[in-house]
Amino acid sequence: RHVPRHYMWRADYFGQEYSIETKETHFVSLPDAEELERVKMGGEVGRRLADDAPRLLQEYRDSSAPTLNLTMTVLSCAPRAFEIKNFLSPIEVEHILDLTTSMKLSRSLT
């Protein structure tokens, strides 16, 4: 089995909480399609950012705070399931919903 690419948070008991601080703040406006396509096509995706480096598409993010504080709560230990309230901004939710309406989905045959 491959080593996980991302940190695997422990889930020792129901209701266990973690406080997380990230510089990846919420989007408050949506970048235009050209900028999103540049990121989607791998322009800057996957790069590791130094702590003092600007975030991707920073001009579209919440500038009122330099960091975003989140609380992650364990809902299930096996399989691991977590709740992260306020994980997405309203504009991010709207963007995801817009993406789903343009997909060509069909019933799985397996």
Side-chain angles (χ1 to χ4, degrees):
R1 186 173 198 181
H2 296 290
V3 175
R5 291 177 63 189
H6 301 286
Y7 180 75
M8 298 294 290
W9 293 89
R10 294 179 57 103
D12 298 322
Y13 57 90
F14 300 118
Q16 183 177 10
E17 289 187 345
Y18 293 98
S19 295
I20 302 163
E21 182 179 28
T22 177
K23 291 185 178 185
E24 299 299 334
T25 57
H26 284 144
F27 280 83
V28 292
S29 63
L30 189 62
D32 62 36
E34 184 178 298
E35 286 189 84
L36 288 175
E37 190 63 29
R38 177 178 53 85
V39 173
K40 181 178 158 186
M41 297 307 290
E44 297 179 75
V45 171
R47 70 180 179 133
R48 276 199 134 6
L49 298 174
D51 283 342
D52 59 347
R55 304 294 102 178
L56 291 175
L57 303 170
Q58 184 64 42
E59 61 273 22
Y60 300 98
R61 294 177 181 268
D62 183 0
S63 61
S64 65
T67 61
L68 177 63
N69 294 304
L70 301 167
T71 300
M72 185 169 74
T73 306
V74 174
L75 299 179
S76 172
C77 298
R80 290 181 207 179
F82 300 93
E83 175 186 52
I84 307 172
K85 291 184 178 178
N86 198 31
F87 181 69
L88 297 172
S89 70
I91 195 78
E92 291 165 323
V93 171
E94 188 65 34
H95 178 64
I96 291 171
L97 292 174
D98 287 344
L99 289 174
T100 63
T101 58
S102 65
M103 293 179 160
K104 305 281 190 257
L105 301 176
S106 62
R107 181 176 289 277
S108 172
L109 301 176
T110 59

